[in-house]
Amino acid sequence: MKKHWMSAFLTMLLAATLSGCGGEKTNVGDETQKMTESEKETEEQTEEQTEKADFNTEGIIEETVLIDENDIKVTATELNYTKYDAELSIVIENNSDKNFSFFAGTLGYSCNSVNDYMVSDGYFHVTVDAGKKAKEVLKFSLKQLQAYGITEIADIQIGIATTDDDYEDVYYEPKQIKTTLADSYDYETDTYQAAMKDKVIEDLFGYTIPYYEEDELYNQNGLRIVSEAMIETDEGEKAVFLEVVNDSSEMLCCSLEDMVINNIAVSEGIWRSDFINPKSRGIIQLEISPMLETAWYELFGISEIESLGFKVRTKDKNYEKLGEAQEADIVFNDSQSKPDTSGAELYNSGGIRIVSKGIVEDPSEYSDDIHMLMLVENNSNETVGIKEVYDTMSINGFMADGIFHSIKVPKGMYGIVDVSFSENYGLEEAGIDGYEAIENIEVTLDIQNEKGNSIEEASVKVERENTEK
């Protein structure tokens, strides 16, 4: 199972939409009719007027200083609008005797917001030498804003960080830039919820919303999860949107852990962590396919996504834990079918049963990994953990290194154990010439109780059926 630590689901939808725009008109058949420059200009003006018709572009700014300390000054100078984006121009002045890299909207520091909604846009990364200046333009997609129900910009918050040549980082608190629309803007209205009810995403992108509820799943330490949605593309790809509210006066981090699909644990530990600015909202987007390969659904008896479970934990801006993690569960339909528990039995003791799901090739055309898959059934009275006893993996009896994806399985649920090997490393190390040469894979499991203490060690061997020799 591959982890995507920053979901870019909506961003990809935007990219796919925008990449279809061009300046040529193509006839059916072999001939392509190129438009004259005047025709292009007329059509582009018409498209731009249509694109902006639902977005108020009157919000402009006065120069606003974002940072002015340590011989560094960053100033937001103007806000302009194009056909697809709101563009915030900034000027960076490095008056120090050190070279600095400046960045915002990155995986390491993503704290930008518009109208108190956290956004993934506003990215920039630039190096400014000592005594030099730089100009940057931060772009905010109008369609992404519209998907959140935002049709005008009242304010933008930008969180900027710096790194010097000694790799010392400084994270500056997000600074608000108000526009001329700020004083008349209604901040009390939850524009995202209104947009979901009006199915704005369906209108903008042509995708469907098979599930949307305004259930409060979590309310701890200043953070609340107040709505949940399932978004589905026309190709069947699914993502879950969680609306998270930070009611506190401090920046908080919403951490999602231990993902469970249809009562099958598919990942252990932190899946995603998102900063939410004070008194702001974040729409956390969880793609389903990275949690469990779609190609393996049938193997584990999954016909559709019926539920998604996880633990929620609040952390402060320094990632320090605030309180205990709390379990949350979204049920998309009431059928709640059970997984396919067939397969060669590898272990059965103390209410824990483990069966083989075979040795399979990675379904991605970009990966040469080989996977040893097992299903854990937990009928004991507590959560159990499945880990690897160090240095016990072998292929066809030859020692080999692979990646063991540990898993925690709550009582009454199931879990997937995935042990992966690279063809160019793990297999080569064992002298195995590709997938077809694999006869079996063996590993010793450390079965642990809820406190992480070992219950038993069990050596398991998964055979590959119909091995070609």
Side-chain angles (χ1 to χ4, degrees):
M1 285 159 281
K2 300 179 179 63
K3 294 187 177 182
H4 292 190
W5 293 103
M6 182 176 68
S7 172
F9 182 79
L10 188 53
T11 304
M12 289 190 294
L13 302 190
L14 293 167
T17 304
L18 302 186
S19 65
C21 300
E24 293 185 349
K25 185 187 295 181
T26 304
N27 293 331
V28 176
D30 297 328
E31 294 183 358
T32 300
Q33 175 186 1
K34 293 188 177 181
M35 295 184 291
T36 65
E37 291 302 319
S38 61
E39 287 175 326
K40 287 182 185 179
E41 185 177 350
T42 300
E43 180 169 282
E44 287 173 357
Q45 289 175 349
T46 302
E47 287 179 353
E48 184 166 358
Q49 290 169 357
T50 302
E51 193 75 33
K52 290 183 177 180
D54 295 327
F55 203 96
N56 180 2
T57 59
E58 295 179 359
I60 58 175
I61 67 169
E62 295 182 351
E63 284 197 2
T64 304
V65 176
L66 306 180
I67 302 172
D68 190 5
E69 55 184 284
N70 303 323
D71 295 321
I72 289 172
K73 187 174 183 179
V74 181
T75 306
T77 58
E78 57 183 344
L79 179 64
N80 295 310
Y81 298 86
T82 69
K83 182 176 180 180
Y84 300 116
D85 301 306
E87 297 187 341
L88 178 68
S89 297
I90 64 173
V91 174
I92 302 168
E93 302 175 49
N94 180 5
N95 298 313
S96 73
D97 56 1
K98 291 184 177 182
N99 300 331
F100 280 95
S101 289
F102 296 77
F103 54 92
T106 66
L107 183 60
Y109 196 54
S110 183
C111 303
N112 300 341
S113 72
V114 174
N115 297 4
D116 289 343
Y117 281 84
M118 306 302 295
V119 294
S120 58
D121 285 345
Y123 165 85
F124 83 92
H125 190 175
V126 63
T127 298
V128 184
D129 291 343
K132 302 296 183 181
K133 301 179 182 180
K135 293 182 179 180
E136 286 292 314
V137 176
L138 286 62
K139 296 184 178 182
F140 300 85
S141 165
L142 299 185
K143 278 195 173 180
Q144 180 174 356
L145 297 179
Q146 287 174 304
Y148 293 169
I150 297 172
T151 57
E152 61 183 18
I153 296 178
D155 78 87
I156 300 175
Q157 290 191 65
I158 303 295
I160 297 175
T162 62
T163 301
D164 63 19
D165 289 338
D166 296 322
Y167 302 102
E168 293 187 5
D169 299 331
V170 176
Y171 298 92
Y172 294 91
E173 294 288 337
K175 182 65 180 289
Q176 185 185 56
I177 310 160
K178 290 187 176 182
T179 77
T180 51
L181 301 176
D183 291 341
S184 61
Y185 187 77
D186 178 13
Y187 282 94
E188 297 301 316
T189 298
D190 188 335
T191 60
Y192 169 76
Q193 290 190 4
M196 294 303 291
K197 292 172 184 175
D198 291 340
K199 300 186 182 298
V200 171
I201 287 179
E202 292 188 358
D203 295 335
L204 288 173
F205 307 113
Y207 299 113
T208 58
I209 308 174
Y211 178 91
Y212 175 69
E213 292 291 340
E214 294 172 9
D215 292 335
E216 187 171 274
L217 292 185
Y218 177 80
N219 188 344
Q220 297 286 335
N221 305 296
L223 276 189
R224 292 183 293 132
I225 297 178
V226 297
S227 77
E228 309 78 40
M230 171 79 82
I231 310 298
E232 184 173 359
T233 72
D234 51 2
E235 295 180 350
E237 291 292 325
K238 295 180 175 66
V240 173
F241 284 16
L242 302 177
E243 182 186 4
V244 185
V245 180
N246 178 0
D247 291 321
S248 79
S249 58
E250 302 291 334
M251 181 185 293
L252 295 176
C253 177
C254 180
S255 181
L256 304 178
E257 310 169 3
D258 299 347
M259 310 306 292
V260 178
I261 296 176
N262 292 12
N263 290 324
I264 303 175
V266 294
S267 79
E268 178 185 351
I270 298 172
W271 182 262
R272 175 159 182 163
S273 293
D274 286 67
F275 283 118
I276 313 293
N277 290 345
K279 307 298 182 181
S280 298
R281 296 172 184 265
I283 312 302
I284 298 179
Q285 302 154 25
L286 299 171
E287 295 170 84
I288 299 297
S289 58
M291 300 178 190
L292 177 64
E293 297 285 359
T294 306
W296 298 347
Y297 280 13
E298 184 176 356
L299 195 62
F300 293 100
I302 298 175
S303 58
E304 62 178 311
I305 304 300
E306 299 170 344
S307 64
L308 179 68
F310 46 86
K311 291 181 180 177
V312 189
R313 188 189 298 275
T314 303
K315 300 178 182 179
D316 65 18
K317 64 181 180 181
N318 298 315
Y319 289 103
E320 294 294 329
K321 297 176 182 178
L322 302 176
E324 297 297 321
Q326 179 178 309
E327 294 184 359
D329 191 50
I330 309 170
V331 179
F332 303 112
N333 65 58
D334 296 326
S335 58
Q336 297 299 293
S337 59
K338 292 185 177 181
D340 182 346
T341 59
S342 64
E345 188 170 273
L346 305 174
Y347 177 86
N348 194 342
S349 178
I352 309 301
R353 180 172 180 262
I354 303 175
V355 299
S356 166
K357 285 299 179 178
I359 300 169
V360 300
E361 295 180 279
D362 195 284
S364 171
E365 61 180 310
Y366 304 107
S367 173
D368 62 3
D369 286 358
I370 306 298
H371 299 265
M372 168 191 182
L373 299 175
M374 294 171 277
L375 180 70
V376 181
E377 184 176 353
N378 182 8
N379 292 314
S380 72
N381 58 3
E382 66 176 337
T383 296
V384 296
I386 309 295
K387 298 184 181 296
E388 168 209 6
V389 175
Y390 179 70
D391 204 20
T392 60
M393 296 182 189
S394 65
I395 303 176
N396 296 0
F398 290 89
M399 300 303 293
D401 286 331
I403 299 175
F404 191 99
H405 301 270
S406 301
I407 199 74
K408 287 181 181 177
V409 186
K411 61 181 180 181
M413 294 190 185
Y414 305 83
I416 294 174
V417 175
D418 175 16
V419 186
S420 60
F421 299 86
S422 168
E423 191 168 286
N424 294 327
Y425 178 60
L427 269 65
E428 187 178 81
E429 178 188 33
I432 307 299
D433 186 20
Y435 170 71
E436 300 298 336
I438 298 175
E439 298 177 4
N440 58 69
I441 299 176
E442 191 169 359
V443 65
T444 300
L445 305 178
D446 183 11
I447 302 173
Q448 301 180 348
N449 63 18
E450 197 163 4
K451 295 181 179 179
N453 299 320
S454 182
I455 299 172
E456 187 176 358
E457 292 184 0
S459 180
V460 298
K461 180 187 288 186
V462 172
E463 304 281 351
R464 177 170 166 252
E465 297 179 358
N466 303 320
T467 302
E468 296 180 13
K469 299 182 179 179

